[in-house]
Amino acid sequence: MNANLYALFASNFPGDASTCCIENHDGLFYSWDDLERATAKIANSLASLNLPQGARIAVQVEKSPEALMLYLASVRAGFVYLPLNTAYRASEIDYFLNDAEPAVVVCSPAHFGWVSSIAFKAGATHVFTLGEDRDGTLLARAAHQPDTFETVARAPDDLAAILYTSGTTGRSKGAMLTHDNLASNAKVLKDYWHWQESDVLLHALPLFHVHGLFVASHGALLNGSKMIFLPKFDNESVVRHLPRATVFMGVPTYYVRLLADPSFKREVCSSMRLFISGSAPLLTDTFEEFSRRAGHTILERYGMSETTMLTSNPYAGKRIGGTVGLPLPGVSVRVVNQDGAACAPGEIGDIGVKGPNVFKGYWRMPEKTAEEFTSDAYFKTGDVGKVDDNGYLSIVGRSKDLIISGGYNVYPKEIESVIDEIDGVVESAVIGVPHPDFGEAVVAAVVTGPNASFSEGDIIAALKTKIANFKVPKRIFFVDELPRNTMGKVQKNMLRQQFEKA
Ligand code: MLC
Ligand code: AMP
């Protein structure tokens, strides 16, 4: 049997392929037949390039139905899809392309100049463009291709995608996900969240991370359900489209923003069946206020790039705020102490996971991969949690030095290295502080040399040219020295206390 993920989706498309698969925000409708034919054209186009087996297709484009089709076509043609956040700047793209060595790079038309220059130097053989409005060379080339394509046979363990996740050392690692990782998770979630024939997904998440690309899109594709596609999250569009939707997925910031909007009322949720939150901690206050305002209990689940979804609050059973629910069927999740022994209920320890959802390893980093697994093959998530008497998991912290801002991960070490490169900066420490909108905000404490005289704005402006905007500290605090313990380690707790209310 062909384990290609696309074949799984295609076998679940509705019997009547003329029904709507994607309704775009601009009013354009794409049927399931359109999806099948457009992915065939793009897949034929990619196949005609005679790329080697396992070639990577790296993509940094704005969200559109065609961007989803490019993903599906890459998988369908047997290649490895590598999505990149549209916020990444040249130095970040340079790193990813040199590390992943993709054969094909697809970027926004406006970025062709600088992206193609990096891509060709990194060994790519083709660079295409894809705009938000069906413009660009990718579709122009695909237009001449046949609209049928035999989905390439793949084994369950073959790679379907590589997702880059930052690391505590500051160097991003490519998490290699197989066709079976993605298929098994999609199938489990379809049953666990009771996807129904009449479901309509309001899709507001970006298409370059696990949440929007896999959890949301795969759910609708596997269930043969219509998606209403928004280019990005904004309150007005979500409130306008919710009355025709049944399922919505978002990071906690989406729920915080909806609650802050007076036009978000119970009436707009009347057709809704399920609101799902994940990627960052959902505050209990948000969970409770949403239940009062919308009359819906948000279902919180927990996942990560390396493992896709691990746990979820139940659909039918009790959804408990402040917890991420129970291990998904077929997924083993455990909490262990420093000695590797299982923690008793309520005891805090490291969260580990094993199952068909767990990735194959980090791209070209066998040692790093080995370090992140225990001897009995559990992946160390880097999250710290506890399980209650009923088996519900709560995440109480992270052993990895990670900030999650509006659902995006920021590793302090990476930002500190970029700040430290600025002439006149002696050293820096980057921390996360509570933020009413983003959950956590990135801020930096910076020590400058005796003759340096910059303002906060100077440093922020310098950083914006080098790293994605969401990683740029919202505030810079100048300090005479960083607080250190007797071992010389920076005491970030002290900085957090000092600056959390500043
Ligand atoms: C944008 N900005 C952010 C930011 N997003 N800053 C910090 N954190 C963020 N997440 C910057 C902008 O560049 C801008 O900078 C300023 O903040 C204000 O922007 P905005 O207009 O308010 O932002 P907006 O475009 O509305 O985006 C906010 C957002 C978006 C929350 C809608 O960040 C988003 O969609 N996040 C979802 C992330 C996601 O999909 N995560 C899933 C990861 S998968 P300036 O300087 O220009 O003013 C994963 C696994 C799992 O974690 O379990 O799911
Ligand atoms: P990423 O590397 O982008 O896939 O982010 C994965 C990380 O997001 C996890 O290791 C967790 O720290 C965090 N995360 C995901 N879902 C939740 C959640 N529901 N609650 C708290 N943290 C979460």
Side-chain angles (χ1 to χ4, degrees):
M1 206 193 77
N2 186 0
N4 189 310
L5 180 68
Y6 184 85
L8 171 70
F9 295 144
S11 66
N12 286 281
F13 288 171
D16 180 359
S18 68
T19 56
C20 184
C21 163
I22 301 178
E23 177 189 328
N24 201 26
H25 69 105
D26 57 9
L28 219 63
F29 282 63
Y30 299 72
S31 67
W32 293 92
D33 202 27
D34 292 335
L35 183 86
E36 171 78 11
R37 286 189 293 121
T39 56
K41 278 174 173 280
I42 303 172
N44 274 313
S45 183
L46 293 173
S48 73
L49 303 174
N50 293 319
L51 306 175
Q53 269 262 354
R56 276 79 60 208
I57 316 284
V59 177
Q60 190 195 32
V61 298
E62 296 298 336
K63 183 175 173 184
S64 68
E66 288 73 20
L68 183 68
M69 289 172 187
L70 170 57
Y71 158 58
L72 294 172
S74 304
V75 170
R76 193 173 176 187
F79 300 119
V80 181
Y81 190 73
L82 196 169
L84 293 164
N85 193 319
T86 46
Y88 292 147
R89 313 301 299 242
S91 60
E92 292 159 313
I93 295 296
D94 186 72
Y95 172 79
F96 295 126
L97 299 191
N98 278 288
D99 193 61
E101 297 185 324
V104 176
V105 176
V106 184
C107 64
S108 301
H111 297 168
F112 179 77
W114 65 268
V115 175
S116 62
S117 145
I118 295 173
F120 289 129
K121 276 192 207 130
T125 45
H126 300 85
V127 181
F128 299 113
T129 57
L130 175 63
E132 287 157 87
D133 299 315
R134 299 162 285 281
D135 50 327
T137 56
L138 182 89
L139 298 180
R141 192 174 195 282
H144 305 288
Q145 297 289 331
D147 64 1
T148 56
F149 181 84
E150 192 170 337
T151 299
V152 170
R154 291 284 91 174
D157 204 32
D158 284 336
L159 290 195
I162 297 180
L163 264 68
Y164 272 84
T165 73
S166 301
T168 36
T169 55
R171 225 188 124 201
S172 282
K173 310 176 293 271
M176 300 188 288
L177 292 160
T178 65
H179 286 263
D180 189 50
N181 290 148
L182 301 177
S184 65
N185 215 233
K187 285 192 249 181
V188 163
L189 294 177
K190 177 176 189 264
D191 293 338
Y192 204 74
W193 292 341
H194 292 215
W195 276 87
Q196 293 169 14
E197 211 181 317
S198 54
D199 272 333
V200 175
L201 171 75
L202 180 54
H203 194 306
L205 285 154
L207 279 182
F208 38 69
H209 288 306
V210 163
H211 201 159
L213 184 62
F214 299 152
V215 189
S217 311
H218 287 182
L221 290 166
L222 188 59
N223 198 50
S225 292
K226 170 174 156 176
M227 291 180 250
I228 301 175
F229 240 52
L230 304 182
K232 60 175 289 224
F233 173 87
D234 75 273
N235 275 346
E236 190 275 321
S237 310
V238 169
V239 168
R240 184 152 44 87
H241 290 289
L242 266 181
R244 294 186 301 117
T246 63
V247 180
F248 180 79
M249 301 188 193
V251 299
T253 299
Y254 294 8
Y255 294 105
V256 169
R257 289 188 179 184
L258 283 172
L259 288 172
D261 182 345
S263 69
F264 178 69
K265 299 200 173 85
R266 194 173 274 240
E267 299 85 87
V268 300
C269 305
S270 59
S271 66
M272 283 298 294
R273 180 176 73 76
L274 184 58
F275 286 95
I276 296 173
S277 176
S279 311
L282 179 74
L283 295 181
T284 316
D285 280 355
T286 313
F287 174 82
E288 284 168 359
E289 198 191 333
F290 198 87
S291 163
R292 279 194 297 276
R293 266 278 280 290
H296 282 270
T297 311
I298 297 176
L299 181 154
E300 184 172 5
R301 89 317 177 263
Y302 161 46
M304 57 194 305
S305 302
E306 289 92 334
T307 67
T308 62
M309 299 304 104
L310 299 74
T311 72
S312 170
N313 271 280
Y315 180 75
K318 197 164 170 45
R319 299 177 200 164
I320 305 178
T323 83
V324 291
L326 305 156
L328 287 167
V331 179
S332 170
V333 177
R334 70 181 188 190
V335 177
V336 294
N337 64 22
Q338 297 295 319
D339 305 323
C343 288
E347 194 190 333
I348 292 172
D350 295 322
I351 303 172
V353 54
K354 186 155 123 176
N357 55 315
V358 176
F359 75 140
K360 200 170 175 172
Y362 292 114
W363 173 252
R364 291 179 180 163
M365 288 187 181
E367 282 106 26
K368 188 73 200 158
T369 303
E371 271 171 34
E372 299 301 326
F373 282 88
T374 59
S375 54
D376 57 351
Y378 275 78
F379 174 65
K380 302 175 198 166
T381 63
D383 293 309
V384 173
K386 59 180 182 184
V387 175
D388 72 10
D389 288 328
N390 299 315
Y392 282 68
L393 178 72
S394 303
I395 300 173
V396 299
R398 299 167 203 137
S399 58
K400 51 194 175 191
D401 192 10
L402 163 70
I403 301 165
I404 305 184
S405 172
Y408 287 142
N409 291 2
V410 182
Y411 277 86
K413 182 83 179 81
E414 180 192 349
I415 317 307
E416 288 159 7
S417 340
V418 185
I419 298 177
D420 294 351
E421 275 169 19
I422 299 174
D423 246 4
V425 168
V426 176
E427 59 174 353
S428 62
V430 167
I431 52 169
V433 296
H435 188 275
D437 183 35
F438 293 130
E440 273 184 295
V442 179
V443 306
V446 174
V447 181
T448 57
N451 301 319
S453 65
F454 354 74
S455 67
E456 183 176 5
D458 294 335
I459 297 206
I460 289 179
L463 294 177
K464 279 191 174 174
T465 64
K466 295 187 176 156
I467 48 175
N469 256 3
F470 67 86
K471 298 181 190 171
V472 174
K474 301 288 178 214
R475 293 292 317 269
I476 305 281
F477 299 101
F478 293 101
V479 293
D480 293 335
E481 57 180 7
L482 297 177
R484 291 182 188 278
N485 64 14
T486 45
M487 309 290 286
K489 198 169 158 15
V490 176
Q491 292 177 294
K492 290 201 169 177
N493 279 347
M494 289 182 67
L495 290 172
R496 264 181 226 114
Q497 274 168 20
Q498 193 178 348
F499 297 121
E500 69 184 359
K501 293 204 172 65

